[in-house]
Amino acid sequence: MILGILSRKRIPRSVLAIVLAALMAVTTLPINQSLAQAQEGQYDLLIVGGHIVDGSGSPWFEGSVAVKDGKIADVRRVINATARRVIDARGLVIAPGFIDLHSHSDRTLLVDGNAQSKILQGVTTEILGEDHSAGPVPPGAGKNLKQYGLIRDWTTLGEYFARLERQGMSVNIASYVGAGQVREVVLGNANHAPTPAELEKMKDLVDQAMREGAIGLSSGLTYLPNAYAKTDELIELAKVAAKYGGIYTTHMRGEGAHWKRSVDEVIEISEKAGLPAHILHLKMDGKPNWGQMAGQVKQIQAARDRGVDITANQYPYIASMTDLETCIPPKYLAGTSADEVKRLQNPKVREEIRRAIATGLPGWEVNQVQSVGGWHGVMVASLQKPENKKYEGKRMDDIARQMGKDPLDALCDLLVSDNDEAEAIYFNMSDQDVESAMKQSWVGIGSHGGAPSPEMTFLGRPQPRSYGTFPRVLGVYVREKHVLALPDAIRKMTSLPAAITGLTDRGLLRPGMAADITLFDPRTVIDRATFENPMQYPVGISYVIVNGTVVIDQGRHAGAKPGHVLRGRGFEVAPQ
């Protein structure tokens, strides 16, 4: 009919051709889609032709993923639609964005919200707050911010979240509230149990943090003042987190010779407080204990079999990293930094420490020097004084020879000089135990590292896990060693961490989920960071999308900061 009218009006053929083309375009549009919408694109982003590994553990299938308004709009083998941008994913794996179950980016994100070392690994969400969370803040805190060039303008976890949101960041974050942080606010660094009134203050602080958005309670029971907390104290604090649907996560009291009673404590806290428990960096620490991971796995599995919701995470390296001062028994580290320095300057105290390292000490759970087979197993990673920088990346026995001193004296002199801010890498694990833990269905992946960049020279030589954890799992433990199948490895980085931490809108490629997506080449993805030269980015991660925005574009950071603070269930029910 329309064509007949047009022909009777004797419209010129050139005009008629244009009108007919427009009519044909409109008639081929999907229902309810206007011509203007078609020109803009039905979707914001369309990723086509890749191998989709959806995070569930299911095998890959070839298909496409559509993104609209920061959400996944469609996932299927063929999507016939237009989009503002199309990414050709042929030869790439399309996976949910990786969730780092154990991150220490609390401060580095404030220095550089680009989160370079994490986003270039395919990480789109970081879980913060082990041991010492960003809030609540103890009186007089701030020493550890000086090296970062930061000034603290927050006192609570909620205020820290607001600071991050103002600055912007390339990744999402969620955080625990630290039991050690809470203890320090109320008791300082004192080694005594809280009075009933003090315990109530601690519980109130946990309650406040949960209402501000914490996802649970964390503890680091080898660090001070965490180590002073008894099991019953932790149970009472965990009960508060349980009230808001949170979880209890812990760096256990012992990861070597005393692993069994440490796991027993985790199980007891979970059962008596009534909430899930999560073990950070599951390992078998110390050469004398190598080969016992099978026993630890059996103990945890037995608890799960009887109904205890307990999980764990790990990083794919045979060395850990923590404070250099953990070479020394905790009894000599009590009080302020000034107290510690004064003790370490005392020749009599040094002799006591020397004997304790050589023969052990009752109640000392982790003798770091013995666990790594001697001073050569301790590599100094980070020192703050310019005159000490020459020792970074060197083993303690080599440093002692360079100083012309006994290793214990060399250690104490470094700690005194650096005001106990030094960090070290400890070569304390075996490949066999790492692989044994990795095979367990309830073990996810967490880097235990921050989000540095090579420009952050004040961090010294960080453990390579900060730059390479997730590509290392994919390149070494999937492609080279075949410890894991690719779908299972992706599940350990995506849907499993989301389920553990309660992030119900992440971790799977499903319509309606947040559009956090990582694309990588399974043939080339690998870490390049080493213990000697850790500040090297991985290769093989082509695109990383956070909340629908492309942050890593053809392997390069685009400068976008679309990350969100992901708050826990307590924030949802708290009066605003």
Side-chain angles (χ1 to χ4, degrees):
M1 178 179 175
I2 295 175
L3 293 177
I5 293 172
L6 290 173
S7 63
R8 287 198 299 271
K9 293 294 184 180
R10 296 181 181 177
I11 295 175
R13 290 180 179 273
S14 59
V15 176
L16 181 61
I18 294 171
V19 173
L20 288 173
L23 286 171
M24 291 177 65
V26 172
T27 57
T28 58
L29 291 175
I31 297 174
N32 297 327
Q33 184 182 359
S34 69
L35 179 60
Q37 287 174 319
Q39 291 170 343
E40 289 181 0
Q42 183 178 351
Y43 296 114
D44 299 325
L45 178 64
L46 189 59
I47 307 166
V48 299
H51 284 188
I52 294 176
V53 182
D54 66 6
S56 68
S58 299
W60 66 267
F61 65 94
E62 188 170 330
S64 301
V65 178
V67 174
K68 181 75 171 177
D69 297 330
K71 302 286 186 181
I72 295 173
D74 201 358
V75 181
R76 64 177 70 190
R77 294 189 185 280
V78 178
I79 300 177
N80 292 317
T82 57
R84 293 179 181 176
R85 179 175 181 183
V86 177
I87 294 176
D88 183 349
R90 284 176 294 181
L92 302 179
V93 168
I94 308 171
F98 304 151
I99 299 173
D100 188 343
L101 269 169
H102 183 189
S103 178
H104 288 276
S105 299
D106 313 61
R107 288 165 288 198
T108 51
L109 282 173
L110 295 176
V111 178
D112 180 9
N114 286 320
Q116 298 265 29
S117 72
K118 291 297 181 66
I119 197 77
L120 283 164
Q121 293 185 58
V123 171
T124 56
T125 298
E126 298 194 73
I127 310 299
L128 312 178
E130 180 223 344
D131 172 30
H132 275 65
S133 54
V137 178
K143 177 192 71 171
N144 291 333
L145 293 181
K146 292 179 182 177
Q147 62 175 303
Y148 294 86
L150 297 171
I151 297 175
R152 196 189 306 274
D153 60 357
W154 70 92
T155 59
T156 69
L157 194 58
E159 290 171 353
Y160 169 76
F161 289 159
R163 165 78 180 264
L164 278 179
E165 289 175 324
R166 287 196 303 272
Q167 291 194 201
M169 53 194 169
S170 294
V171 295
N172 306 303
I173 68 98
S175 180
Y176 301 104
V177 56
Q181 192 85 348
V182 166
R183 189 176 226 277
E184 190 172 356
V185 170
V186 177
L187 301 177
N189 200 27
N191 183 9
H192 65 77
T195 66
E198 289 170 335
L199 183 59
E200 285 304 312
K201 289 181 182 179
M202 293 165 66
K203 291 166 67 175
D204 287 344
L205 289 172
V206 174
D207 188 275
Q208 177 183 346
M210 293 300 296
R211 287 185 285 106
E212 290 173 339
I215 60 171
L217 176 77
S218 69
S219 66
L221 300 178
T222 63
Y223 305 117
L224 299 180
N226 279 257
Y228 299 142
K230 302 298 188 228
T231 306
D232 57 350
E233 175 184 322
L234 295 169
I235 290 170
E236 290 304 307
L237 298 181
K239 285 179 179 178
V240 179
K243 182 174 68 172
Y244 293 102
I247 73 171
Y248 170 68
T249 192
T250 181
H251 175 153
M252 296 191 301
R253 216 175 284 275
E255 299 171 315
H258 306 295
W259 59 265
K260 187 178 187 308
R261 69 176 184 228
S262 295
V263 174
D264 282 339
E265 182 181 41
V266 179
I267 294 169
E268 181 183 358
I269 293 169
S270 175
E271 291 185 306
K272 291 185 176 179
L275 78 177
H278 184 65
I279 298 172
L280 299 171
H281 47 59
L282 185 69
K283 67 181 69 162
M284 188 50 62
D285 189 340
K287 289 185 177 182
N289 308 305
W290 288 359
Q292 297 183 48
M293 178 58 73
Q296 187 166 205
V297 164
K298 184 177 180 180
Q299 182 183 5
I300 295 171
Q301 186 61 57
R304 289 185 58 80
D305 290 345
R306 71 168 193 268
V308 181
D309 188 352
I310 179 171
T311 56
N313 70 60
Q314 70 172 155
Y315 50 84
Y317 295 90
I318 59 169
S320 62
M321 179 176 176
T322 188
D323 298 333
L324 182 60
E325 68 178 14
T326 61
C327 289
I328 294 173
K331 64 179 286 187
Y332 298 102
L333 305 176
T336 65
S337 295
D339 295 333
E340 178 183 332
V341 166
K342 185 176 181 180
R343 285 192 206 98
L344 297 183
Q345 289 173 320
N346 187 326
K348 182 180 178 181
V349 171
R350 289 193 181 194
E351 187 55 39
E352 292 176 4
I353 295 171
R354 186 178 287 106
R355 286 197 303 270
I357 290 174
T359 62
L361 197 66
W364 188 15
E365 296 281 354
V366 183
N367 186 331
Q368 290 279 25
V369 178
Q370 290 297 326
S371 78
V372 297
W375 291 103
H376 188 70
V378 181
M379 175 186 283
V380 174
S382 172
L383 295 164
Q384 297 308 308
K385 294 291 181 64
E387 61 268 26
N388 295 333
K389 287 289 183 181
K390 59 180 177 288
Y391 300 123
E392 290 179 345
K394 295 184 177 181
R395 308 286 186 124
M396 271 307 309
D397 55 349
D398 294 329
I399 293 172
R401 280 191 290 270
Q402 189 172 341
M403 288 183 170
K405 298 176 180 178
D406 170 89
L408 190 279
D409 286 324
L411 171 76
C412 291
D413 287 348
L414 283 178
L415 292 174
V416 168
S417 175
D418 245 51
N419 267 334
D420 78 5
E421 292 184 29
E423 292 185 293
I425 292 169
Y426 299 90
F427 293 87
N428 52 6
M429 289 172 276
S430 73
D431 284 311
Q432 180 183 355
D433 286 332
V434 169
E435 293 178 16
S436 178
M438 191 175 290
K439 292 175 182 177
Q440 308 311 310
S441 63
W442 37 265
V443 175
I445 305 301
S447 71
H448 194 7
S453 65
E455 292 72 31
M456 295 183 190
T457 55
F458 55 84
L459 293 176
R461 296 173 188 252
Q463 222 267 25
R465 62 196 179 196
S466 290
Y467 285 83
T469 289
F470 293 84
R472 181 172 178 80
V473 170
L474 297 170
V476 175
Y477 292 93
V478 173
R479 187 177 63 240
E480 296 176 6
K481 291 189 172 185
H482 306 291
V483 174
L484 297 174
L486 180 60
D488 193 33
I490 297 299
R491 185 187 69 85
K492 288 172 172 287
M493 301 175 178
T494 57
S495 65
L496 177 60
I500 289 169
T501 54
L503 303 179
T504 56
D505 64 342
R506 318 270 154 171
L508 289 167
L509 296 180
R510 296 280 192 276
M513 302 289 275
D516 291 351
I517 306 170
T518 292
L519 283 72
F520 64 90
D521 187 336
R523 299 160 298 184
T524 62
V525 63
I526 195 69
D527 61 317
R528 296 194 302 174
T530 65
F531 290 105
E532 293 74 23
N533 188 9
M535 292 177 287
Q536 299 185 82
Y537 295 126
V539 295
I541 306 289
S542 304
Y543 298 89
V544 182
I545 297 147
V546 179
N547 297 311
T549 298
V550 178
V551 178
I552 299 301
D553 195 341
Q554 299 182 66
R556 296 180 179 274
H557 201 298
K561 295 181 179 179
H564 297 162
V565 174
L566 308 178
R567 293 172 173 84
R569 295 184 179 94
F571 183 78
E572 297 171 6
V573 302
Q576 301 303 314

